[in-house]
Amino acid sequence: MVVHNISNITGEQAFHSMLQSGKRNILKNYIYFAIAFAIGAPLTIIGFVRRDSQFITMGAIFILFTLAVGVYNIIMLSRLPKDVQNKNPEVIRDGVTYDFTFKEKSVDIIIINSGKKKKINYSYLDFKKIYEYDDLFEIRLQSKEVLLCLKDGFENDKEKMMDFFIKNVSTNKKLVIIDKREAVKKLK
């Protein structure tokens, strides 16, 4: 069944969503931090125990790389809010409207921002994860984009339309919608 949703996202909601997405991407760099430290620390310790300058040098190189990744991540995290504002001034100022048409195999989206329209079609295979919150669904795509689908935007019988939305998404990719409603309540 075709499900229609119009989500009017405010500038503040869009800014918060872009900020969270940026933080997730930056924090993934800590994987490199952990790997380099896991290699560098033992090499350095072995080098000091054996009094082998080659092990000490290699361990020091890995530890320096670890420090460089850490400093880079801290700088990127501190600059992120300003970068998001500079790269998306229209979205933050005016907000954005997503006009979703969820079909059985794909979704058509018309994105309206500052009088400009852009039409996009995504297969459900392009969806990476979907998180359900009290008032919206956060759709994360394979391309690292994030779409917000407000629950209030579903037409007519909202509960029935949300059920069809969930059915359309989960039957095509076996995608499980992760319920974040309880997690948010626990934080409050």
Side-chain angles (χ1 to χ4, degrees), residues 39 61 63 112 120 141:
I39 294 170
I61 290 170
I63 290 175
I112 304 166
I120 301 174
L141 302 173

Side-chain angles (χ1 to χ4, degrees), residues 25-76:
N25 290 332
I26 291 170
L27 292 177
K28 287 180 183 177
N29 290 336
Y30 279 108
I31 293 170
Y32 303 118
F33 181 88
I35 291 170
F37 186 78
I39 294 170
L43 284 175
T44 305
I45 292 170
I46 291 171
F48 280 117
V49 169
R50 291 184 176 178
R51 293 189 176 117
D52 186 344
S53 64
Q54 288 180 334
F55 275 90
I56 295 171
T57 303
M58 288 303 295
I61 290 170
F62 277 101
I63 290 175
L64 286 174
F65 177 74
T66 302
L67 292 174
V69 169
V71 169
Y72 173 77
N73 283 345
I74 291 169
I75 291 170
M76 294 303 291

